């Protein structure tokens, strides 16, 4: 009897467990069903799918909506869909949402505090709208990995953003923050991308920048930042792109920058940097684009630059660099754009520049270069722009320049170039801008000028010329409708 009693009790408990489990499953199913209904209602109340919500079409098939296999909304992507008005609080009902992309619309006002309910959200992109407020509740979005608020009207970054410790991408370019670099950013030690360009930031770049050791892209351009580049940047050894142009940074470029051996892009242009180019830059063997344009850099170009074999864009224009243009620049096989204009370079144009077969732009204007234009420049068959104006060059224009068939702009103004213009120049099929004003040109105007059907702009300086200027201008106007400048008096044709 005892055995039968205990057996009965065991069977009874088993049956009760099945009933309880079934009840839980039913409750869970009901809860899931209620959640899905709530999600559909929330989507309807945004007004973003007004053309679909009343047609009996399942919300998981609406444009920009992606659901999980269980039917929960996990992604909303309405980028560039012409949305306007505000973001409604009901969006916070999408509790399983992982990605919300509302970029490139005309959404206005505040981000709703209900966004804090989206605890599974990993990506939030509301860039290119008119949002002006970020709620404190953003701190609840602990799984947020990427936050893009580019080109809005945000004037304040809440300190709670510093609690988003999983954040790897923070992009707030072009917002009127009008503040120092927000200090709570230094808590985001997983940050890989930080873009705060054109945010009206002022003050200095603090040494704490060195705490963000995971940074790959750091863009702080077009602000009002002052002071030196902190030496703590040497801790950012994962950096690939460092963009600081358009500030008021001063002091010298730290030697420690040579430790950033993963850099491919280094833009320091339009600042107030002084001193020489550090030789440690030669360690940046992956560097592809380097700009120091419009600073107060002096000294010569260090020979270590020759180690930058991947460099394709080198802009050292508008500085106080001096000495001769080094021939080792010809050892940079990838170089396609070379800007050395508006410096204090002297001496001859180095012959080794002819080795830069990929060069498309060469600007050497505004220096003190002497000697003649080397005929070896004709080896640069990919060159589109050659600027040699405002130097002390003399001699004649090499006939071989006519072999540069991709040339579309040739600037030779304000030199001491003499002798007649070679007829080969007049056969450049793409030459849309030919400028040779304020030289010592003499001799007749080549009659082939009448065949220059592609010429869009022509300036020929007269100096001691014997040309009949008024006849020349009349002919140019008759054939091409161009601009002619001569005898110190401009002639314009409209």
């Amino acid at each position: 009897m005892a055995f039968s009693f205990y057996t009965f009790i065991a069977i009874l408990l088993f049956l009760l467990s099945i009933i309880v489990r079934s009840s839980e499953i039913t409750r869970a199913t009901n809860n899931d069903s209620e959640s899905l209904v709530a999600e559909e209602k929330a989507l309807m109340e945004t007004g973003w799918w007004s053309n679909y919500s009343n047609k009996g079409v399942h919300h998981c098939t609406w444009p920009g909506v992606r659901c999980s296999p269980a039917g929960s909304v996990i992604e909303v992507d309405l980028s560039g869909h012409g949305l306007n008005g505000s973001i409604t609080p009901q969006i916070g009902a999408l509790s399983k949402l992982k990605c919300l992309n509302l970029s490139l619309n005309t959404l206005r006002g505040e981000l709703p505090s209900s966004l804090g309910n989206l605890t599974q959200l990993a990506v939030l992109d509301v860039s290119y709208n008119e949002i002006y407020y970020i709620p404190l509740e953003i701190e609840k979005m602990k799984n947020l990995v990427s936050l893009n608020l580019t080109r809005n009207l945000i004037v304040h970054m809440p300190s709670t953003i510093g609690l988003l410790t999983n954040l790897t991408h923070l992009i707030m370019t072009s917002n009127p923050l009008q503040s120092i670099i927000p200090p709570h950013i230094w808590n985001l030690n997983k940050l890989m991308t930080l873009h705060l360009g054109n945010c009206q930031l002022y003050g200095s770049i603090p040494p704490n920048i060195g705490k963000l050791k995971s940074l790959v892209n750091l863009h702080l351009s077009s602000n009002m930042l002052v002071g030196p580049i902190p030496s703590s940047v040497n801790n950012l050894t994962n950096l690939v792109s460092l963009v600081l142009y358009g500030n008021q940074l001063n002091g010298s470029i730290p030697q420690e920058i040579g430790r950033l051996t993963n850099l491919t892009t280094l833009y320091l242009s339009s600042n107030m940097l002084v001193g020489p180019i550090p030789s440690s830059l030669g360690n940046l063997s992956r560097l592809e684009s380097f700009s120091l344009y419009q600073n107060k850099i002096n000294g010569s170009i260090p020979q270590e630059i020759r180690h930058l074999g991947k460099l394709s864009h080198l802009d050292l224009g508008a500085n106080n660099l001096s000495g001769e243009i080094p021939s080792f620049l010809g050892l940079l096989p990838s170089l396609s754009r070379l800007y050395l204009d508006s410096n204090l370079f002297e001496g001859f144009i180095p012959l080794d520049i002819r080795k830069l077969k990929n060069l498309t732009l060469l600007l050497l204007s505004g220096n003190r270069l002497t000697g003649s234009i080397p005929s070896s420049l004709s080896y640069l068959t990919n060159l589109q722009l050659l600027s040699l104006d405002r130097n002390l060059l003399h001699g004649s224009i090499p006939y071989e320049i006519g072999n540069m068939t991709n040339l579309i702009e040739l600037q030779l103004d304000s030199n001491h170039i003499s002798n007649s213009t070679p007829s080969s120049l007049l056969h450049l099929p793409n030459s849309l801008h030919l400028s040779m004003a304020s030289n010592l040109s003499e001799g007749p105007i080549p009659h082939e000028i009448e065949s220059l059907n592609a010429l869009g702009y022509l300036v020929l300086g007269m100096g001691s010329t014997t040309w009949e200027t008024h006849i020349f201008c009349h002919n140019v106007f008759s054939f091409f409708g161009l601009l002619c400048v001569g005898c110190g008096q401009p002639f314009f044709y409209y």
Side-chain angles (χ1 to χ4, degrees):
M1 290 293 290
F3 175 78
S4 299
F5 174 75
Y6 287 121
T7 300
F8 171 75
I9 294 298
I11 292 172
L12 182 61
L13 291 173
F14 175 73
L15 291 174
L16 286 173
S17 69
I18 291 176
I19 292 171
V20 170
R21 191 175 304 162
S22 297
S23 176
E24 290 175 349
I25 292 172
T26 301
R27 191 181 304 115
T29 302
N30 290 338
N31 288 342
D32 287 345
S33 178
E34 290 174 4
S35 175
L36 297 182
V37 171
E39 287 185 350
E40 182 173 9
K41 181 182 178 183
L43 293 176
M44 287 182 181
E45 290 177 347
T46 64
W48 297 338
W49 292 274
S50 56
N51 293 332
Y52 292 85
S53 57
N54 297 321
K55 294 183 179 180
V57 180
H58 195 278
H59 65 274
C60 287
T61 64
W62 295 355
V65 176
R66 187 166 68 90
C67 294
S68 68
S72 297
V73 177
I74 59 174
E75 180 178 348
V76 172
D77 185 351
L78 292 177
S79 175
H81 273 61
L83 307 181
N84 52 44
S86 60
I87 300 174
T88 59
Q90 287 80 4
I91 199 75
L94 305 177
S95 59
K96 303 294 176 61
L97 197 64
K98 298 181 183 300
C99 177
L100 177 59
N101 185 356
L102 301 175
S103 61
L104 297 166
N105 286 293
T106 319
L107 295 168
R108 302 179 180 87
E110 305 179 1
L111 292 178
S113 59
S114 62
L115 283 178
N117 299 330
L118 306 181
T119 56
Q120 296 189 34
L121 197 68
V123 177
L124 175 59
D125 188 346
V126 291
S127 58
Y128 295 90
N129 281 285
E130 298 175 15
I131 304 296
Y132 63 78
Y133 180 75
I134 305 171
L136 296 174
E137 288 80 3
I138 198 170
E139 67 175 301
K140 298 178 182 178
M141 302 163 69
K142 300 296 185 183
N143 289 302
L144 200 63
V145 172
S146 178
L147 176 59
N148 191 344
L149 301 167
T150 296
R151 204 172 285 278
N152 277 282
L153 303 173
I154 296 166
V155 297
H156 175 67
M157 182 192 296
S159 60
T160 50
I161 281 184
L163 300 176
L164 303 176
T165 54
N166 286 309
L167 204 62
T168 61
H169 296 79
L170 176 58
I171 306 173
M172 290 191 65
T173 304
S174 297
N175 280 282
L177 292 179
Q178 296 183 335
S179 70
I180 62 172
I181 299 175
H184 34 275
I185 289 175
W186 315 133
N187 299 326
L188 305 176
N189 55 21
K190 292 184 181 179
L191 210 58
M192 298 173 66
T193 297
L194 176 59
H195 287 193
L196 294 175
N198 193 30
C199 285
Q200 302 178 37
L201 298 175
Y202 52 81
S204 61
I205 302 175
N208 285 338
I209 194 77
K211 292 182 177 181
L212 304 180
K213 296 181 180 180
S214 298
L215 271 183
V216 175
N217 301 293
L218 175 58
H219 292 198
L220 300 174
S221 60
S222 301
N223 284 294
M224 298 174 284
L225 298 172
V226 298
I229 300 171
S231 59
S232 59
V233 297
N234 68 350
N235 296 328
L236 309 181
T237 54
N238 291 307
L239 268 187
V240 171
S241 176
L242 177 57
V243 178
L244 302 177
Y245 69 80
N247 282 286
Q248 300 169 33
L249 299 174
N250 53 37
S252 59
I253 303 170
Q255 278 284 348
E256 291 86 350
I257 209 164
R259 292 187 56 186
L260 308 182
T261 54
N262 287 305
L263 274 183
T264 63
T265 300
L266 178 57
Y267 289 157
L268 305 176
S269 55
S270 299
N271 280 288
M272 302 170 66
L273 298 171
V274 298
I277 300 172
S279 58
S280 61
L281 282 175
N283 299 330
L284 308 183
S285 58
R286 299 182 182 181
L287 198 62
E288 298 175 4
S289 190
F290 176 41
S291 177
L292 273 177
Y293 171 74
Q294 205 172 46
N295 279 281
K296 299 179 180 179
I297 301 297
N298 56 28
S300 59
I301 300 175
Q303 61 179 353
E304 287 80 5
I305 293 290
R306 72 184 189 276
H307 301 307
L308 305 182
K310 294 186 177 180
L311 197 63
S312 63
H313 178 107
L314 177 59
D315 189 350
L316 304 178
N319 280 285
N320 296 319
L321 293 168
S322 57
E324 296 185 352
I325 296 175
S327 59
F328 59 72
L329 291 179
L331 301 177
L332 302 176
S334 302
L335 208 58
S336 65
R337 298 186 176 196
L338 177 58
Y339 302 83
L340 300 177
D341 54 300
S342 302
N343 278 286
L344 304 173
F345 289 117
E346 300 175 323
F348 300 155
I349 299 173
L351 298 179
D352 284 346
I353 282 185
R354 71 180 186 274
K355 298 177 182 178
L356 302 176
K357 302 296 185 182
N358 293 309
L359 210 58
T360 59
L361 299 179
L362 176 58
L363 275 69
L364 304 179
S365 57
N367 284 287
R368 301 171 180 175
L369 300 177
T370 57
S372 59
I373 301 172
S375 60
S376 57
L377 288 179
S378 63
Y379 287 93
L380 305 177
T381 54
N382 288 308
L383 203 65
Q384 299 175 18
L385 169 60
L386 175 58
S387 179
L388 301 175
D389 56 288
R390 293 176 292 119
N391 278 289
L392 304 172
L393 298 171
H394 57 78
S396 59
I397 301 171
Y399 184 88
E400 291 83 357
I401 294 292
N403 296 329
M404 303 166 71
T405 54
N406 285 302
L407 201 63
I408 60 175
E409 187 164 352
L410 177 59
Q411 299 175 355
L412 302 174
D413 313 70
S414 301
N415 280 286
H416 301 303
I417 296 170
S418 59
N419 297 329
S420 60
T421 305
S423 60
S424 61
L425 277 182
L426 307 179
H427 298 292
L428 294 174
N430 299 313
S431 184
L432 302 180
H433 183 156
L434 176 58
S435 181
M436 295 182 290
S438 300
N439 275 286
L440 303 176
S441 301
E442 56 187 24
I445 301 172
H447 65 84
E448 290 93 340
I449 195 169
E450 297 180 9
S451 65
L452 281 175
N453 296 321
L455 191 64
Y457 181 70
L458 177 63
V459 180
L460 292 179
M462 301 310 165
S464 59
T465 183
T466 57
W467 293 342
E468 293 292 332
T469 306
H470 64 284
I471 297 176
F472 168 71
C473 290
H474 172 76
N475 287 337
V476 172
F477 293 159
S478 298
F479 283 102
F480 312 111
L482 304 177
L483 169 65
C484 171
V485 179
C487 297
Q489 297 295 325
F491 292 79
F492 295 98
Y493 180 78
Y494 297 94

